[in-house]
């Protein structure tokens, strides 16, 4: 455990501390919360994408229901992923959520194109 100086008050603080015990300055931000949310939303987006693609490939023309959920969950997943990655660049959970969100959007758009072609 090494010591470093707090940016705010200049006193010695552990390099593993999340905040300065003297002045309360936040030294490290924990960005895993957004990563977990983005992963969960990405999983929901993929589930709705599979349902949407099955409906489209069977020939039923129902765009409103599942497509709205796909776009909603995919958009939220990618947004939370980018927020989490902005805070903590090495957040693997956020990267997974980002990949799932983009995958869901891509497959839903491919199914929509297949419907109109």
């Amino acid at each position: 455990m090494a010591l470093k100086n707090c940016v705010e008050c200049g006193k010695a603080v552990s390099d593993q501390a999340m905040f300065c015990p003297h002045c309360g300055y936040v030294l490290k931000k924990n960005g895993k919360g957004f990563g977990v949310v983005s992963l969960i939303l990405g999983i929901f987006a993929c589930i709705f994408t599979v349902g949407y693609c099955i409906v489209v490939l069977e020939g039923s023309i129902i765009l409103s229901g599942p497509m709205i959920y796909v776009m909603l969950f995919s958009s939220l997943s990618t947004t939370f992923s980018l927020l989490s990655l902005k805070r903590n660049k090495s957040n693997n959970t956020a990267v997974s959520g980002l990949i799932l969100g983009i995958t869901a959007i891509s497959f839903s758009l491919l199914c929509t194109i297949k419907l109109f072609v």
Side-chain angles (χ1 to χ4, degrees), residues 21-115:
H22 308 288
C23 68
Y25 182 77
V26 178
L27 300 169
K28 292 183 184 178
K29 293 182 181 176
N30 187 1
K32 292 191 182 203
F34 284 141
V36 172
V37 170
S38 69
L39 181 62
I40 291 170
L41 290 172
I43 290 170
F44 278 122
C46 287
I47 290 170
F48 280 107
T49 300
V50 168
Y52 173 72
C53 289
I54 288 172
V55 167
V56 167
L57 294 177
E58 284 181 353
S60 304
I61 303 177
I62 302 173
L63 289 176
S64 61
M67 185 62 170
I68 290 172
Y69 290 117
V70 167
M71 289 303 170
L72 174 71
F73 287 129
S74 300
S75 302
L76 288 173
S77 175
T78 52
T79 302
F80 280 114
S81 297
L82 293 174
L83 285 173
S84 181
L85 289 172
K86 184 177 179 184
R87 289 177 141 190
N88 182 3
K89 301 222 184 288
S90 62
N91 192 340
N92 294 334
T93 310
V95 173
S96 301
L98 183 64
I99 291 170
L100 288 174
I102 292 172
T103 303
I105 291 171
S106 302
F107 278 113
S108 63
L109 290 176
L110 285 174
C111 287
T112 304
I113 291 170
K114 167 90 171 109
L115 179 68

